[in-house]
Amino acid sequence: MRSDLAKKGLEKAPHRSLFKALGLTDEEMSRPLVGIVNSKNDIIPGHINLDKIAEAVKAGVRIAGGTPLEFNTIGVCDGIAMNHTGMKYSLGSRELIADSAEIMATAHALDALVFIPNCDKIVPGMLMAAARLNLPSIFVSGGPMLAGRVQGRAVSLTQVFEGVGAAAAGRMSPDELAELEENACPTCGSCSGMFTANSMNCLTEGLGMALAGNGTIPAVYSERIRLAKQTGMQIMRLWEKDIKALDIMTADAFRNAMRLDMAIGCSSNSVLHLLAIAQEAGVDIDLELFNQVSSATPHLCRLSPAGEHHMEDLYRAGGIPALFHELNKKNLINSDCLTVSGRTVGENIISAPVRDHAVIRPIDNPYSPTGGLAILFGNLAPEGAVVKKSAVAEEMMTHQGPARVFDSEETAVAAILGGRIQAGDVIVIRYEGPAGGPGMREMLTPTSAIAGIGLDKEVALITDGRFSGATRGASIGHVSPEAAAGGLIALVEEGDLIRIDIPAGRLDLMVDEEVLVGRKALWKVPEPKITKGYMKRYAEMVQSASTGAIFRK
């Protein structure tokens, strides 16, 4: 056992004494030590229930003959951090989460790990740690929130953000907004649409790193507790068989996850995170591969914000196994990939048909023959940009309009809510990239404000920052190189024409090259926005969004 490094032999008597100070018996110390990596806190609605998940996991570990030892990581609620300085710290937390899990597992010579994330950056941070450590590892999330209901229709956090814009434009009363606020988030759990948290929990299942149901069983269902117990028992089987994280997180498994990403219409942030996780796993994927996978993957689901369905609907329709079952009808997944169940993908999905084709379309009748995400290239994004095309109105799939240029999210929001944006405009929000932001803020407020005032089918938004998974409309993020690195987005001026062609995968600034050369000569590297602490160091170490915003090695 790896943990023998900290507990076996004469010279480890002091170590055993410390373990006994925890209340551990000799019998418990003789068993494998299983780290329970819990991101529970009292701030994130998706994490408030993780103490119950952890207790269930620990029960499962003990049932199967292991000794669970729980420790915690940090976590940021992107919704609460949204539209203020706090959002600059969200993406940066991903690296800290990976580092803290690495430190704890290595310093204490743990034999295996159960990761308990739920929201946004916590899931990819833990997946990065699992790949880096390459121990027997398994994931179980806290589960998605149930959708709220207002006036007979299902709603989520998206509608509250969009309600702000609607109220500012006089299209919604303060009382109606208050009703949304009161009812949109009715339970604990990750927010109920196919936003970043649920995207990453589904992709964790798609990668093979979680048992069936991880991405879709609602947080408040007792089935989630049973899943956690089964996860605790399963980690012991993985340890006994010496099945490690990188035995599962193979190149083929990443392609399966990318295929799922395109079929289900995940958050655009999934691209950023899959790139970073693959880098830790030593798997070579890039933005061009995302487009290749998308071009051959039918889009089968439209969950909020792209449609009216929510995570509970996907759960009832059969969840991720049913989606894989449907994709496998045309051999679009690698069914031989090993999963944490100890079985292959093919074995897991053989008896998992779709239960509701209104939620998961038949593969011969997709919403679109191509996937829900697209990578755009062009002179404005030579290293790529990302758009959730499944949430873009048909009339905005191609668009050309004048640039409205803002050097921060706050100034753009003020212009939108102040009525200074017109139909046809292309809003450019720059200096919000990985280094320039720093931290590549999600911008749900400006996109929701545009939707709320009724311009989401007439106005595009482009940024070197990110958009939330709850964003809908022609919102193009991750523009690389970013403005702070001297990317072309830094040279855009008010009124310049920008051409967007999502079907053709193009994003171009329609300005003559000699004009741009003159502008470049006058451009200066901006002063850093944060000059001390972690995010100062982050800005100095982070790479382009096209790499997954990973640190320089």
Side-chain angles (χ1 to χ4, degrees):
M1 281 185 284
R2 184 172 184 259
S3 59
D4 286 347
L5 292 170
K7 66 187 186 187
K8 190 173 183 179
L10 183 69
E11 72 278 13
K12 296 304 190 296
H15 304 62
R16 292 191 294 273
S17 184
L18 289 167
F19 280 126
K20 289 180 177 180
L22 301 176
L24 295 186
T25 64
D26 288 333
E27 171 62 25
E28 287 173 301
M29 278 190 280
S30 72
R31 300 174 179 179
L33 301 184
V34 180
I36 312 299
V37 191
N38 192 358
S39 53
K40 195 269 179 187
N41 63 46
D42 290 341
I43 300 174
I44 309 176
H47 290 233
I48 193 74
N49 65 323
L50 296 190
D51 52 347
K52 297 179 178 64
I53 300 296
E55 287 305 314
V57 168
K58 288 190 279 188
V61 170
R62 293 189 184 103
I63 288 169
T67 298
L69 296 171
E70 182 181 352
F71 62 90
N72 289 85
T73 72
I74 63 168
V76 172
C77 177
D78 278 19
I80 295 173
M82 198 71 68
N83 72 33
H84 61 88
T85 300
M87 180 49 75
K88 294 178 183 289
Y89 287 76
S90 176
L91 183 59
S93 73
R94 185 186 71 179
E95 319 307 312
L96 285 175
I97 290 160
D99 292 349
S100 62
E102 175 196 358
I103 288 169
M104 290 295 288
T106 306
H108 303 105
L110 300 177
D111 294 298
L113 297 168
V114 180
F115 291 90
I116 308 176
N118 209 22
C119 293
D120 290 59
K121 311 311 168 294
I122 297 96
V123 187
M126 288 187 177
L127 283 165
M128 291 165 68
R132 189 184 302 171
L133 289 160
N134 196 28
L135 295 170
S137 299
I138 192 169
F139 281 66
V140 59
S141 76
M145 184 184 292
L146 295 178
R149 298 201 72 82
V150 172
Q151 299 176 5
R153 71 183 181 110
V155 296
S156 69
L157 188 66
T158 295
Q159 281 74 37
V160 188
F161 272 95
E162 292 182 1
V164 173
R171 301 173 72 236
M172 178 181 286
S173 72
D175 287 345
E176 289 172 319
L177 180 59
E179 185 181 11
L180 269 176
E181 175 187 327
E182 192 70 25
N183 293 287
C185 299
T187 72
C188 65
S190 47
C191 295
S192 57
M194 188 52 74
F195 312 148
T196 304
N198 291 324
S199 294
M200 293 310 303
N201 284 323
C202 288
L203 293 179
T204 300
E205 193 176 328
L207 269 172
M209 289 298 292
L211 297 177
N214 177 71
T216 57
I217 298 170
V220 293
Y221 283 16
S222 297
E223 187 181 355
R224 175 65 56 178
I225 299 298
R226 298 197 298 273
L227 179 70
K229 288 179 182 175
Q230 291 160 358
T231 299
M233 290 186 279
Q234 187 61 25
I235 190 61
M236 296 309 301
R237 299 184 187 109
L238 294 172
W239 176 81
E240 288 162 4
K241 295 178 180 178
D242 196 30
I243 298 174
K244 297 183 175 70
L246 295 186
D247 296 324
I248 295 169
M249 297 168 70
T250 62
D252 286 335
F254 274 95
R255 283 167 176 77
N256 279 349
M258 293 167 72
R259 189 78 70 182
L260 174 65
D261 198 344
M262 298 306 166
I264 203 172
C266 287
S267 163
S268 58
N269 287 307
S270 63
V271 174
L272 194 75
H273 299 320
L274 284 174
L275 287 168
I277 299 160
Q279 194 277 335
E280 292 285 358
V283 172
D284 185 22
I285 65 174
D286 58 22
L287 292 176
E288 290 283 6
L289 182 58
F290 279 91
N291 269 347
Q292 292 173 25
V293 172
S294 182
S295 69
T297 306
H299 179 217
L300 303 180
C301 290
R302 276 192 177 164
L303 275 66
S304 176
E308 296 300 316
H309 295 129
H310 292 80
M311 293 304 297
E312 62 205 72
D313 301 306
L314 181 58
Y315 162 74
R316 284 193 288 267
I320 304 310
L323 266 159
F324 268 7
H325 184 96
E326 197 67 23
L327 289 169
N328 202 37
K329 290 179 179 179
K330 291 196 173 179
N331 299 314
L332 291 177
I333 59 168
N334 187 321
S335 59
D336 294 329
C337 288
L338 182 64
T339 73
V340 291
S341 70
R343 300 184 298 272
T344 65
V345 170
E347 291 169 328
N348 286 342
I349 67 174
I350 195 167
S351 58
V354 175
R355 299 183 195 133
D356 186 348
H357 277 299
V359 179
I360 302 173
R361 284 277 188 95
I363 197 161
D364 290 324
N365 183 31
Y367 286 104
S368 165
T370 58
L373 296 176
I375 311 300
L376 310 184
F377 294 94
N379 70 345
L380 197 51
E383 293 178 9
V386 184
V387 63
K388 185 172 183 173
K389 69 175 184 178
S390 60
V392 179
E394 185 62 35
E395 50 266 56
M396 289 299 294
M397 295 296 281
T398 58
H399 179 75
Q400 181 169 302
R404 303 297 308 280
V405 183
F406 304 95
D407 286 348
S408 71
E409 177 187 3
E410 289 84 353
T411 55
V413 170
I416 296 166
L417 296 180
R420 301 197 301 275
I421 300 300
Q422 306 299 317
D425 286 348
V426 178
I427 298 170
V428 177
I429 308 174
R430 61 191 180 190
Y431 296 107
E432 292 284 5
M440 207 179 176
R441 283 194 286 185
E442 283 185 356
M443 297 186 213
L444 182 54
T445 297
T447 59
S448 297
I450 285 292
I453 63 178
L455 290 175
D456 55 299
K457 296 181 180 180
E458 300 174 274
V459 168
L461 296 94
I462 295 172
T463 184
D464 52 7
R466 298 178 295 132
F467 291 116
S468 166
T471 288
R472 61 186 175 96
S475 303
I476 300 165
H478 308 201
V479 170
S480 301
E482 64 176 292
L488 190 61
I489 191 171
L491 307 183
V492 181
E493 293 187 357
E494 192 80 5
D496 287 349
L497 284 181
I498 292 176
R499 179 181 294 164
I500 300 164
D501 190 337
I502 294 173
R506 297 291 304 182
L507 180 63
D508 291 290
L509 178 64
M510 311 305 290
V511 175
D512 289 342
E513 183 63 30
E514 56 267 30
V515 174
L516 295 176
V517 170
R519 292 181 188 178
K520 182 70 172 180
L522 298 174
W523 179 80
K524 295 180 180 179
V525 177
E527 293 294 320
K529 295 178 182 176
I530 294 179
T531 58
K532 61 181 179 180
Y534 173 69
M535 289 309 295
K536 176 182 182 294
R537 300 195 301 276
Y538 179 92
E540 292 168 350
M541 297 170 66
V542 72
Q543 297 187 68
S544 167
S546 62
T547 71
I550 60 174
F551 280 173
R552 294 185 177 87
K553 300 300 180 183

